Amino acid sequence: MAAVTDPIADYLTRLRNAQVAGHRVVIIPSSNMKKRITEILYDQGYILKYKFDDEAGKGKQGEISIALKYEKDSRRPVIRKLIRVSKPGLRKYVGKDDLPRVINGLGIALVSTSKGVMTEKQARKENVGGEVLAYIY
């Protein structure tokens, strides 16, 4: 299996593909940043639930199981768009005064700061800038 050069883009693509296929659960290889992004998605109401399966003792990486959330009446995914902003070839950094607003505050921007991964709203409260990872709405 080939090494993944952009694990965050892989994470977002797996979520996107699972939603298009109508899957209820998607399993993704684990990392600390992916765990934090999953917690943020849960806290913001974009996913139903999640479970971390850490098998570090067995020589395995560990997995994140994510239960996807769909609208009840139309069966459309709650997450409309997942857009990767900062890429390995072109990083996008913003200062505390230039944090992006996604759809006038209806979506979220994931920002990797010196205080960890957080939404742009939390970064404004903490008064920090950082690398803009993705837009989700």
Side-chain angles (χ1 to χ4, degrees), residues 33 36 93-96 99 110-119 122-124 126-133:
M33 185 176 284
R36 182 65 188 128
Y93 295 97
V94 294
K96 63 182 182 181
L99 289 164
L110 296 174
V111 182
S112 178
T113 69
S114 58
K115 297 183 179 182
V117 178
M118 57 183 73
T119 66
Q122 291 169 316
R124 266 191 209 91
E126 297 279 336
N127 207 23
V128 293
E131 180 181 358
V132 180
L133 299 175

mmCIF file of all heavy atoms in Angstrom, residues 33 36 93-96 99 110-119 122-124 126-133:
data_model
loop_
_atom_site.group_PDB
_atom_site.id
_atom_site.type_symbol
_atom_site.label_atom_id
_atom_site.label_comp_id
_atom_site.label_asym_id
_atom_site.label_seq_id
_atom_site.Cartn_x
_atom_site.Cartn_y
_atom_site.Cartn_z
ATOM 1 N N MET A 33 -4.321 14.341 15.050
ATOM 2 C CA MET A 33 -5.006 15.449 14.379
ATOM 3 C C MET A 33 -6.375 14.995 13.870
ATOM 4 O O MET A 33 -7.361 15.722 14.001
ATOM 5 C CB MET A 33 -4.169 16.003 13.229
ATOM 6 C CG MET A 33 -4.796 17.233 12.603
ATOM 7 S SD MET A 33 -3.816 18.011 11.338
ATOM 8 C CE MET A 33 -2.600 18.846 12.314
ATOM 9 N N ARG A 36 -8.837 14.853 16.715
ATOM 10 C CA ARG A 36 -9.313 16.189 17.106
ATOM 11 C C ARG A 36 -10.324 16.733 16.102
ATOM 12 O O ARG A 36 -11.329 17.314 16.483
ATOM 13 C CB ARG A 36 -8.111 17.139 17.244
ATOM 14 C CG ARG A 36 -8.492 18.514 17.688
ATOM 15 C CD ARG A 36 -9.068 18.547 19.104
ATOM 16 N NE ARG A 36 -9.583 19.881 19.363
ATOM 17 C CZ ARG A 36 -10.802 20.151 19.806
ATOM 18 N NH1 ARG A 36 -11.625 19.178 20.113
ATOM 19 N NH2 ARG A 36 -11.192 21.388 19.977
ATOM 20 N N TYR A 93 -1.645 30.066 5.711
ATOM 21 C CA TYR A 93 -1.611 30.531 7.092
ATOM 22 C C TYR A 93 -2.336 31.865 7.201
ATOM 23 O O TYR A 93 -2.271 32.684 6.281
ATOM 24 C CB TYR A 93 -0.158 30.704 7.560
ATOM 25 C CG TYR A 93 0.608 29.411 7.613
ATOM 26 C CD1 TYR A 93 1.433 29.036 6.561
ATOM 27 C CD2 TYR A 93 0.512 28.567 8.707
ATOM 28 C CE1 TYR A 93 2.143 27.851 6.592
ATOM 29 C CE2 TYR A 93 1.210 27.377 8.754
ATOM 30 C CZ TYR A 93 2.031 27.026 7.692
ATOM 31 O OH TYR A 93 2.715 25.850 7.733
ATOM 32 N N VAL A 94 -3.016 32.069 8.317
ATOM 33 C CA VAL A 94 -3.696 33.342 8.551
ATOM 34 C C VAL A 94 -3.373 33.834 9.958
ATOM 35 O O VAL A 94 -3.153 33.047 10.876
ATOM 36 C CB VAL A 94 -5.234 33.222 8.397
ATOM 37 C CG1 VAL A 94 -5.623 32.917 6.976
ATOM 38 C CG2 VAL A 94 -5.809 32.189 9.336
ATOM 39 N N GLY A 95 -3.358 35.137 10.095
ATOM 40 C CA GLY A 95 -3.168 35.746 11.404
ATOM 41 C C GLY A 95 -4.482 35.793 12.158
ATOM 42 O O GLY A 95 -5.550 35.496 11.607
ATOM 43 N N LYS A 96 -4.411 36.200 13.403
ATOM 44 C CA LYS A 96 -5.619 36.237 14.235
ATOM 45 C C LYS A 96 -6.670 37.197 13.706
ATOM 46 O O LYS A 96 -7.856 37.009 13.928
ATOM 47 C CB LYS A 96 -5.260 36.587 15.674
ATOM 48 C CG LYS A 96 -4.648 37.959 15.813
ATOM 49 C CD LYS A 96 -4.272 38.257 17.228
ATOM 50 C CE LYS A 96 -3.704 39.662 17.292
ATOM 51 N NZ LYS A 96 -3.299 40.012 18.621
ATOM 52 N N LEU A 99 -8.808 35.536 10.193
ATOM 53 C CA LEU A 99 -9.466 34.219 10.225
ATOM 54 C C LEU A 99 -10.695 34.228 9.320
ATOM 55 O O LEU A 99 -11.481 35.173 9.347
ATOM 56 C CB LEU A 99 -9.861 33.851 11.660
ATOM 57 C CG LEU A 99 -8.689 33.512 12.575
ATOM 58 C CD1 LEU A 99 -9.118 33.541 14.029
ATOM 59 C CD2 LEU A 99 -8.107 32.163 12.225
ATOM 60 N N LEU A 110 -11.598 24.761 9.876
ATOM 61 C CA LEU A 110 -10.711 24.105 10.821
ATOM 62 C C LEU A 110 -9.348 24.768 10.742
ATOM 63 O O LEU A 110 -8.784 24.911 9.656
ATOM 64 C CB LEU A 110 -10.586 22.616 10.492
ATOM 65 C CG LEU A 110 -11.868 21.803 10.612
ATOM 66 C CD1 LEU A 110 -11.641 20.388 10.109
ATOM 67 C CD2 LEU A 110 -12.343 21.775 12.043
ATOM 68 N N VAL A 111 -8.825 25.189 11.896
ATOM 69 C CA VAL A 111 -7.558 25.899 11.953
ATOM 70 C C VAL A 111 -6.621 25.166 12.905
ATOM 71 O O VAL A 111 -6.993 24.861 14.032
ATOM 72 C CB VAL A 111 -7.762 27.356 12.444
ATOM 73 C CG1 VAL A 111 -6.458 28.117 12.448
ATOM 74 C CG2 VAL A 111 -8.795 28.072 11.598
ATOM 75 N N SER A 112 -5.401 24.878 12.427
ATOM 76 C CA SER A 112 -4.379 24.277 13.270
ATOM 77 C C SER A 112 -3.553 25.405 13.878
ATOM 78 O O SER A 112 -2.849 26.119 13.173
ATOM 79 C CB SER A 112 -3.500 23.351 12.429
ATOM 80 O OG SER A 112 -2.481 22.806 13.236
ATOM 81 N N THR A 113 -3.666 25.576 15.181
ATOM 82 C CA THR A 113 -2.999 26.678 15.871
ATOM 83 C C THR A 113 -1.935 26.132 16.812
ATOM 84 O O THR A 113 -1.774 24.920 16.954
ATOM 85 C CB THR A 113 -4.008 27.503 16.692
ATOM 86 O OG1 THR A 113 -4.472 26.699 17.783
ATOM 87 C CG2 THR A 113 -5.176 27.962 15.853
ATOM 88 N N SER A 114 -1.248 27.031 17.479
ATOM 89 C CA SER A 114 -0.266 26.614 18.478
ATOM 90 C C SER A 114 -0.943 25.999 19.701
ATOM 91 O O SER A 114 -0.303 25.307 20.490
ATOM 92 C CB SER A 114 0.579 27.816 18.908
ATOM 93 O OG SER A 114 -0.263 28.824 19.422
ATOM 94 N N LYS A 115 -2.253 26.218 19.841
ATOM 95 C CA LYS A 115 -3.014 25.648 20.957
ATOM 96 C C LYS A 115 -3.823 24.435 20.528
ATOM 97 O O LYS A 115 -4.732 24.014 21.232
ATOM 98 C CB LYS A 115 -3.938 26.713 21.542
ATOM 99 C CG LYS A 115 -3.177 27.881 22.128
ATOM 100 C CD LYS A 115 -4.099 28.885 22.757
ATOM 101 C CE LYS A 115 -3.295 30.017 23.360
ATOM 102 N NZ LYS A 115 -4.139 31.001 24.020
ATOM 103 N N GLY A 116 -3.527 23.879 19.339
ATOM 104 C CA GLY A 116 -4.220 22.695 18.846
ATOM 105 C C GLY A 116 -5.171 23.027 17.707
ATOM 106 O O GLY A 116 -5.319 24.184 17.315
ATOM 107 N N VAL A 117 -5.832 21.991 17.194
ATOM 108 C CA VAL A 117 -6.796 22.170 16.106
ATOM 109 C C VAL A 117 -8.112 22.658 16.694
ATOM 110 O O VAL A 117 -8.586 22.115 17.696
ATOM 111 C CB VAL A 117 -7.007 20.846 15.335
ATOM 112 C CG1 VAL A 117 -8.042 21.022 14.239
ATOM 113 C CG2 VAL A 117 -5.695 20.355 14.754
ATOM 114 N N MET A 118 -8.682 23.699 16.072
ATOM 115 C CA MET A 118 -9.946 24.251 16.559
ATOM 116 C C MET A 118 -10.689 24.920 15.405
ATOM 117 O O MET A 118 -10.144 25.050 14.310
ATOM 118 C CB MET A 118 -9.691 25.257 17.690
ATOM 119 C CG MET A 118 -8.777 26.398 17.336
ATOM 120 S SD MET A 118 -8.419 27.522 18.707
ATOM 121 C CE MET A 118 -7.346 26.565 19.717
ATOM 122 N N THR A 119 -11.919 25.315 15.662
ATOM 123 C CA THR A 119 -12.684 26.049 14.656
ATOM 124 C C THR A 119 -12.193 27.493 14.632
ATOM 125 O O THR A 119 -11.525 27.950 15.561
ATOM 126 C CB THR A 119 -14.192 26.033 14.971
ATOM 127 O OG1 THR A 119 -14.418 26.771 16.172
ATOM 128 C CG2 THR A 119 -14.729 24.631 15.105
ATOM 129 N N GLN A 122 -13.402 29.435 17.697
ATOM 130 C CA GLN A 122 -12.604 29.233 18.908
ATOM 131 C C GLN A 122 -11.273 29.973 18.811
ATOM 132 O O GLN A 122 -10.799 30.529 19.796
ATOM 133 C CB GLN A 122 -12.345 27.738 19.121
ATOM 134 C CG GLN A 122 -13.580 26.948 19.490
ATOM 135 C CD GLN A 122 -13.325 25.453 19.432
ATOM 136 O OE1 GLN A 122 -12.713 24.963 18.486
ATOM 137 N NE2 GLN A 122 -13.790 24.737 20.431
ATOM 138 N N ALA A 123 -10.683 29.978 17.600
ATOM 139 C CA ALA A 123 -9.407 30.673 17.407
ATOM 140 C C ALA A 123 -9.571 32.174 17.639
ATOM 141 O O ALA A 123 -8.674 32.821 18.182
ATOM 142 C CB ALA A 123 -8.874 30.407 16.002
ATOM 143 N N ARG A 124 -10.723 32.734 17.246
ATOM 144 C CA ARG A 124 -10.982 34.153 17.509
ATOM 145 C C ARG A 124 -11.048 34.415 19.014
ATOM 146 O O ARG A 124 -10.506 35.401 19.511
ATOM 147 C CB ARG A 124 -12.300 34.579 16.860
ATOM 148 C CG ARG A 124 -12.125 35.172 15.501
ATOM 149 C CD ARG A 124 -13.381 35.828 14.956
ATOM 150 N NE ARG A 124 -13.327 35.714 13.508
ATOM 151 C CZ ARG A 124 -13.844 34.716 12.814
ATOM 152 N NH1 ARG A 124 -14.514 33.768 13.412
ATOM 153 N NH2 ARG A 124 -13.714 34.665 11.510
ATOM 154 N N GLU A 126 -9.643 32.593 21.382
ATOM 155 C CA GLU A 126 -8.303 32.376 21.944
ATOM 156 C C GLU A 126 -7.308 33.425 21.453
ATOM 157 O O GLU A 126 -6.190 33.484 21.940
ATOM 158 C CB GLU A 126 -7.790 30.986 21.552
ATOM 159 C CG GLU A 126 -8.605 29.839 22.094
ATOM 160 C CD GLU A 126 -8.268 29.510 23.531
ATOM 161 O OE1 GLU A 126 -7.147 29.835 23.975
ATOM 162 O OE2 GLU A 126 -9.129 28.941 24.213
ATOM 163 N N ASN A 127 -7.710 34.214 20.440
ATOM 164 C CA ASN A 127 -6.876 35.271 19.875
ATOM 165 C C ASN A 127 -5.591 34.723 19.242
ATOM 166 O O ASN A 127 -4.502 35.235 19.487
ATOM 167 C CB ASN A 127 -6.568 36.322 20.946
ATOM 168 C CG ASN A 127 -6.313 37.681 20.341
ATOM 169 O OD1 ASN A 127 -6.760 37.969 19.232
ATOM 170 N ND2 ASN A 127 -5.587 38.513 21.057
ATOM 171 N N VAL A 128 -5.739 33.642 18.445
ATOM 172 C CA VAL A 128 -4.597 33.039 17.758
ATOM 173 C C VAL A 128 -4.924 32.818 16.284
ATOM 174 O O VAL A 128 -6.090 32.689 15.905
ATOM 175 C CB VAL A 128 -4.184 31.685 18.387
ATOM 176 C CG1 VAL A 128 -3.625 31.864 19.769
ATOM 177 C CG2 VAL A 128 -5.336 30.695 18.407
ATOM 178 N N GLY A 129 -3.906 32.758 15.463
ATOM 179 C CA GLY A 129 -4.036 32.413 14.049
ATOM 180 C C GLY A 129 -3.378 31.064 13.826
ATOM 181 O O GLY A 129 -2.954 30.401 14.764
ATOM 182 N N GLY A 130 -3.278 30.663 12.559
ATOM 183 C CA GLY A 130 -2.639 29.389 12.268
ATOM 184 C C GLY A 130 -2.877 28.953 10.847
ATOM 185 O O GLY A 130 -3.205 29.766 9.969
ATOM 186 N N GLU A 131 -2.731 27.658 10.614
ATOM 187 C CA GLU A 131 -2.906 27.089 9.281
ATOM 188 C C GLU A 131 -4.367 26.694 9.079
ATOM 189 O O GLU A 131 -4.929 25.957 9.883
ATOM 190 C CB GLU A 131 -2.014 25.853 9.129
ATOM 191 C CG GLU A 131 -2.127 25.194 7.776
ATOM 192 C CD GLU A 131 -1.264 23.951 7.653
ATOM 193 O OE1 GLU A 131 -0.547 23.620 8.601
ATOM 194 O OE2 GLU A 131 -1.330 23.318 6.586
ATOM 195 N N VAL A 132 -4.981 27.180 8.016
ATOM 196 C CA VAL A 132 -6.373 26.847 7.708
ATOM 197 C C VAL A 132 -6.369 25.478 7.029
ATOM 198 O O VAL A 132 -5.866 25.323 5.916
ATOM 199 C CB VAL A 132 -7.021 27.900 6.785
ATOM 200 C CG1 VAL A 132 -8.465 27.523 6.494
ATOM 201 C CG2 VAL A 132 -6.951 29.260 7.410
ATOM 202 N N LEU A 133 -6.931 24.470 7.708
ATOM 203 C CA LEU A 133 -6.925 23.104 7.177
ATOM 204 C C LEU A 133 -8.053 22.863 6.177
ATOM 205 O O LEU A 133 -7.832 22.333 5.095
ATOM 206 C CB LEU A 133 -7.038 22.094 8.331
ATOM 207 C CG LEU A 133 -5.926 22.119 9.354
ATOM 208 C CD1 LEU A 133 -6.241 21.166 10.496
ATOM 209 C CD2 LEU A 133 -4.603 21.774 8.703
#
